[in-house]
Amino acid sequence: MNAPLITIENLKKRFDIRMGAFGEKAASVHALDDFTADIIEGETFSLVGESGCGKSTTGFCILNLQRPSGGRVIYKGTDLATLDEDGMRPFRRDLQIVFQDPYSTLNPRMTIGEALSEPILFHGLATKAELPARLTRLLADVGLSQRFASRYPHELSGGQRQRVAIARALACEPRFIVCDEAISALDVSVQAQILNLLLDLQEKYKLTYLFIAHDLAVVRHISDRVGVMYLGRLAELAPAQALFATPLHPYTRALLSAVPEANPHAAQTRQRLQGEVPSPLNPPSGCRFHTRCPLARDTCRATVPPLREVAPGHRVACHAVTSATTTNWEPVSA
Ligand SMILES: Nc1ncnc2c1ncn2[C@@H]1O[C@H](COP(=O)(O)OP(=O)(O)OP(=O)(O)O)[C@@H](O)[C@H]1O
Ligand code: SF4
Ligand SMILES: [Mg+2]
């Protein structure tokens, strides 16, 4: 196994909600709590979970695009969480992000060539004379011909625009890319093409990905490891193969049971998710999943379950799970 590229310790993010004439703090959104994990060089580390569970916040806080409220993000021996924008400058090139909507990163008035030249020149990665050859290579890397350099974003299909967004991240010669729902808005056939492209680029340029997605079936095929998040916390973290073969957290089991082909075992023991996700303004005490968990009991309501390693690399935050093969508790009838 390679060494960690990024070490994340107890990462936390609160969004303060301010109201009133003087902007007093009225409440806090608990968007991310105690996120601890290494991201290993060259791996695809995926994050899954329902909408609002803190996946994007995790990505933004790692890149310090949103300032964490606590915790550390160690990259090249430096805690990124302590840096302001000036301090981040030497690291920005290495750490890139691709969003779901490429329109948000592409200026509609710039040609694709101009959009791709900008980061190359900004980071001094080519001279003006070298630029045309660099652009041609970059477009070829994402499967686009040189003709695309003179086109505008609105002239491209969704898949082509996402290729350009990937090229723009790649232009910086990064080491780490957060792919935040980067394929979610695309047609299924195009999704597969962009996924394959990401995998090819990963191999060619030794990239490390944090891949954020709703679609568990997609994650299964491309991930080395998968983190399942619930209401701002990691519920389970495991090698992809182990997570799909032996999901241990009741939340992971419920998520997988909604994708029967993803896990025949979970399909047999169907545990449909009950109710709605509680508000992150006032998350449940103890285990945040207790309001929806069929196994919940008093301990769960009182104490936060630690993320414990129950098999090599397989960590679970559940009081009921003490080994990699068993969930000790029976469902509690209402
Ligand atoms: N700028 C903000 N101000 C206040 N609350 C925010 C802000 N950004 C995110 N949140 C809240 O933080 C929580 C986590 O949001 P986040 O966007 O990280 O979730 P997500 O898992 O990426 O969801 P999705 O799958 O919908 O993209 C949510 O409750 C969200 O409403
Ligand atoms: S700690 Fe309790 S409530 Fe939380 S997932 Fe485990 S059994 Fe369910
Ligand atoms: Mg998101």
Side-chain angles (χ1 to χ4, degrees):
M1 205 191 216
N2 290 346
L5 181 73
I6 302 176
T7 296
I8 304 153
E9 293 169 0
N10 302 105
L11 198 61
K12 177 169 157 174
K13 180 66 181 175
R14 296 266 189 281
F15 292 104
D16 291 339
I17 308 292
R18 297 185 181 277
M19 292 169 93
F22 300 102
E24 305 95 285
K25 182 172 143 185
S28 281
V29 178
H30 295 237
L32 181 65
D33 266 303
D34 275 336
F35 188 102
T36 295
D38 286 333
I39 296 181
I40 307 296
E41 180 142 36
E43 79 168 333
T44 298
F45 184 121
S46 291
L47 280 182
V48 296
E50 287 163 290
S51 181
C53 70
K55 304 181 295 294
S56 298
T57 302
T58 307
F60 292 163
C61 285
I62 293 172
L63 300 183
N64 204 356
L65 293 171
Q66 276 169 350
R67 173 56 75 97
S69 312
R72 297 174 0 126
V73 178
I74 309 297
Y75 176 68
K76 289 186 171 171
T78 302
D79 181 4
L80 303 183
T82 62
L83 302 178
D84 60 12
E85 204 36 55
D86 274 349
M88 279 301 295
R89 203 155 291 146
F91 302 102
R92 280 274 171 248
R93 214 191 99 187
D94 284 3
L95 311 170
Q96 293 294 311
I97 185 163
V98 176
F99 294 101
Q100 176 172 348
D101 174 16
Y103 267 127
S104 62
T105 37
L106 295 175
N107 183 335
R109 286 181 294 277
M110 272 190 184
T111 64
I112 302 308
E114 287 164 347
L116 296 181
S117 302
E118 209 177 44
I120 297 173
L121 295 173
F122 179 81
H123 293 294
L125 296 169
T127 62
K128 283 227 160 103
E130 292 163 345
L131 197 55
R134 178 80 188 96
L135 286 181
T136 303
R137 185 152 57 89
L138 202 51
L139 285 166
D141 271 342
V142 296
L144 296 175
S145 73
Q146 204 256 335
R147 303 182 276 124
F148 281 87
S150 56
R151 299 209 184 153
Y152 287 88
H154 72 270
E155 298 177 86
L156 274 54
S157 70
Q160 288 166 341
R161 265 196 302 275
Q162 200 52 295
R163 285 174 191 270
V164 172
I166 293 168
R168 198 171 145 89
L170 215 56
C172 302
E173 299 175 13
R175 297 182 68 192
F176 175 65
I177 303 181
V178 174
C179 301
D180 189 0
E181 307 276 6
I183 62 159
S184 305
L186 303 172
D187 291 346
V188 172
S189 61
V190 182
Q191 284 190 352
Q193 293 167 14
I194 300 294
L195 269 185
N196 286 333
L197 172 67
L198 286 168
L199 293 177
D200 290 347
L201 293 171
Q202 180 172 46
E203 198 177 315
K204 185 168 178 184
Y205 293 113
K206 310 283 171 254
L207 297 169
T208 305
Y209 293 144
L210 179 69
F211 192 88
I212 295 171
H214 279 94
D215 189 340
L216 279 163
V218 164
V219 161
R220 177 181 202 177
H221 291 114
I222 63 151
S223 312
D224 295 294
R225 289 189 299 155
V226 180
V228 179
M229 292 187 73
Y230 186 77
L231 258 184
R233 287 188 186 276
L234 263 179
E236 186 161 3
L237 170 60
Q241 209 265 339
L243 189 102
F244 284 90
T246 325
L248 295 174
H249 196 285
Y251 179 60
T252 313
R253 286 171 164 251
L255 278 185
L256 283 175
S257 74
V259 194
E261 70 279 11
N263 182 15
H265 167 70
Q268 282 157 21
T269 56
R270 243 163 231 285
Q271 293 169 10
R272 289 251 173 257
L273 273 172
Q274 312 282 329
E276 296 294 310
V277 183
S279 167
L281 282 171
N282 186 19
S285 61
C287 172
R288 288 185 180 174
F289 189 54
H290 82 244
T291 57
R292 301 168 85 193
C293 180
L295 307 182
R297 49 202 68 195
D298 287 348
T299 323
C300 308
R301 289 179 271 274
T303 315
V304 177
L307 193 65
R308 260 190 317 217
E309 187 161 39
V310 294
H314 197 149
R315 293 197 272 156
V316 188
C318 172
H319 294 303
V321 179
T322 51
S323 81
T325 49
T326 58
T327 298
N328 294 345
W329 298 356
E330 290 299 320
V332 176
S333 46

